[in-house]
Amino acid sequence: MESLRHELARFIQQPAAQQDPPALYRRLLAEAPVLDLGRVHVVSGYQEIVTVLMHPGTAVDPTAVGLPRAGSTALARIVNRMLPMRDGADHTRLKRLATTAFSARRLEQMRARIESTAARLLDPLLAAGSFDVVADLAVPLPVAVSCAILDIPDSEQDRVTGWAQLVARSLLDDFGEQADPAHIAALDAEFDEFRAYVEELCAARAAAPGDDLISRLTVARADGRLDHDDLLAFVVMLLANGLETLTSGLALAVWQLLREPALAELLRARPERAEAVFDEAQRLGSPVRASARALTGEVAVGGTVIPAGRVALLLYAAANRDPRRFAEPDRFDPDRAELRHLAFGHGAHHCLGAPLSLMAGAAVLRGLARAGETRELSTPLTPDTVPWSTQFVFGGMRELPLRCPPRAGGGPDLAGPDVPGRLAEPAGLAGAVRG
């Protein structure tokens, strides 16, 4: 067991050393789906994680077990008020305010805008002949989708993207007692600009409300159901939604498409399967590797009783390959029957934006599959040379160069989906508690 603990510790501390360690996951699932590391218990089994997530004696707030909140900046204090960082009745109250905006009817109304937004970004990149999937597509697309559904003009997206990246960095930075005061001051100054923008946006919607989520939130503030900082945190969350998660998920899905040329043929023949392909890429790649819960009461899970006061580190990446849940879990199979994985969380904290992510990811995959008829899509990267993320909670790639020169004698890029074609083979802990 000590060798397993050592291997797991190395993976947590040096995740870029092996982005996708199925052998480690298999050992954890077979030998210790609940592994005691002292104050932290690592939970890797699918059902074991679900048990923790659904248990009433858990909290996302680390202060519930005496741990400090991550971050001391003004932005960190707003991040700690966001919906995913709230517990119990407070979380339920806030989530109820957003639920109607993510109803099946409203989501379907958003589909055309999301697909047109994805095409607006992807088409000029393909025309250029090469681009970086991460920087040029997977970073701007989540913000563009958020701006589209919140009725924010395209002209504002570059500024909002910069601020969204600021929020994403704040989720990962460790601002302890040794933090550089000048660095914190610079972050606070940058966030002040974002805060002013959001407050101006909310004031405009309050003065002339529309049928958008920000307008409804300003009404909730006027009715006393939200205070000023709750509203600010909500809108900041909406604008930054998807960075790190959808960004990583998009890169992982495109990487899978490049490695499995038959997927492009499937998507051209059956474009309606694109969401299932993207969803399976999320299961296999797990862009959110792990989350955690503070245990306010003892939790019996997998034959182990974890005492109150401990932290359960939930290793989603392992659970999404649990053979007790997924047949042949290391195989990419968009047709598998067990579609409920943990890439978007589970229970009360299941991601509200998951359907939007599926729509956006599917639109990108369909666009690339169509382009593969007339362009040679490839990447110079191999599994051994991929620059994986260097931090633990969010997986994914730091970059994914994609080459897409026109094929000799190729027709227009937007040819119909029924023409056969192939993509070219490629060459060759406090912070986690809040997830």
Side-chain angles (χ1 to χ4, degrees):
M1 198 63 70
E2 284 306 310
S3 68
L4 181 57
R5 289 190 176 96
H6 177 76
E7 187 178 355
L8 177 60
R10 179 177 179 272
F11 173 57
I12 292 173
Q13 294 165 7
Q14 303 174 21
Q18 191 175 25
Q19 160 73 12
D20 178 22
L24 171 60
Y25 298 156
R26 284 192 291 269
R27 281 196 68 190
L28 286 167
L29 293 164
E31 300 176 29
V34 180
L35 183 60
D36 184 355
L37 296 182
R39 182 151 194 198
V40 174
H41 280 64
V42 177
V43 185
S44 55
Y46 180 94
Q47 189 54 51
E48 288 82 358
I49 287 180
V50 169
T51 298
V52 173
L53 289 173
M54 300 303 291
H55 197 281
T58 65
V60 296
D61 184 356
T63 64
V65 294
L67 293 172
R69 284 185 179 272
S72 58
T73 64
L75 173 55
R77 290 190 289 273
I78 290 298
V79 167
N80 286 328
R81 294 185 70 116
M82 289 182 181
L83 178 64
M85 315 323 183
R86 310 292 275 270
D87 287 305
D90 203 26
H91 177 268
T92 301
R93 171 182 64 87
L94 293 172
K95 192 167 187 177
R96 188 177 295 122
L97 292 171
T99 298
T100 55
F102 293 91
S103 67
R105 179 180 64 85
R106 286 189 176 275
L107 288 170
E108 196 55 39
Q109 290 172 346
M110 295 178 194
R111 184 178 297 277
R113 294 188 70 177
I114 290 173
E115 291 179 350
S116 65
T117 298
R120 176 174 59 80
L121 288 173
L122 182 57
D123 289 350
L125 297 175
L126 290 168
S130 66
F131 61 96
D132 177 26
V133 172
V134 176
D136 298 328
L137 180 63
V139 168
L141 180 57
V143 178
V145 168
S146 294
C147 288
I149 64 177
L150 296 174
D151 290 327
I152 293 175
D154 292 350
S155 59
E156 297 292 313
Q157 288 178 17
D158 285 346
R159 281 208 300 166
V160 174
T161 297
W163 288 323
Q165 290 175 307
L166 172 69
V167 175
R169 291 197 306 273
S170 79
L171 298 175
L172 305 174
D173 281 343
D174 180 15
F175 297 109
E177 294 181 357
Q178 303 303 316
D180 179 6
H183 180 53
I184 291 178
L187 290 176
D188 283 346
E190 190 174 356
F191 178 61
D192 281 345
E193 296 180 11
F194 193 12
R195 179 197 293 271
Y197 175 83
V198 170
E199 289 177 341
E200 182 179 341
L201 181 64
C202 291
R205 299 296 168 89
D211 189 30
D212 60 277
L213 181 52
I214 296 178
S215 294
R216 285 194 290 277
L217 291 173
T218 60
V219 171
R221 179 179 61 178
D223 292 345
R225 288 174 289 158
L226 282 177
D227 64 23
H228 176 80
D229 282 348
D230 278 342
L231 175 61
L232 178 63
F234 227 129
V235 177
V236 168
M237 180 192 74
L238 292 169
L239 291 173
N241 182 47
L243 273 183
E244 296 297 339
T245 51
L246 180 53
T247 295
S248 297
L250 280 166
L252 289 165
V254 174
W255 173 245
Q256 194 69 46
L257 190 70
L258 292 169
R259 297 180 69 188
E260 300 286 345
L263 288 178
E265 297 174 6
L266 168 66
L267 294 179
R268 285 193 287 272
R270 299 182 61 193
E272 74 280 1
R273 299 295 295 151
E275 285 195 14
V277 170
F278 184 78
D279 198 45
E280 175 69 349
Q282 307 313 288
R283 179 196 70 83
L284 199 62
S286 293
V288 180
R289 285 199 190 101
S291 179
R293 292 295 183 270
L295 304 187
T296 59
E298 70 174 28
V299 178
V301 55
T304 299
V305 176
I306 308 177
R310 302 288 180 88
V311 171
L313 178 62
L314 310 178
L315 192 52
Y316 295 151
N320 283 337
R321 293 175 181 249
D322 191 336
R324 298 171 297 173
R325 173 69 179 177
F326 305 100
E328 299 182 80
D330 297 332
R331 181 170 63 89
F332 188 92
D333 179 11
D335 293 320
R336 63 175 64 250
E338 323 96 313
L339 293 180
R340 176 69 69 143
H341 53 71
L342 299 176
F344 296 110
H346 184 88
H349 284 273
H350 184 268
C351 178
L352 272 176
L356 296 176
S357 294
L358 291 172
M359 288 181 192
V364 168
L365 294 181
R366 281 194 296 265
L368 288 172
R370 286 194 302 269
E373 296 172 330
T374 58
R375 291 181 174 273
E376 294 281 356
L377 304 188
S378 65
T379 178
L381 298 180
T382 70
D384 292 331
T385 61
V386 170
W388 295 112
S389 170
T390 56
Q391 54 81 35
F392 176 64
V393 173
F394 297 111
M397 306 169 180
R398 298 195 303 277
E399 58 185 59
L400 176 56
L402 190 150
R403 299 169 178 169
C404 46
R407 294 178 184 272
D413 287 342
L414 299 181
D418 55 340
V419 181
R422 293 177 64 86
L423 291 173
E425 293 279 9
L429 285 180
V433 173
R434 304 178 304 174

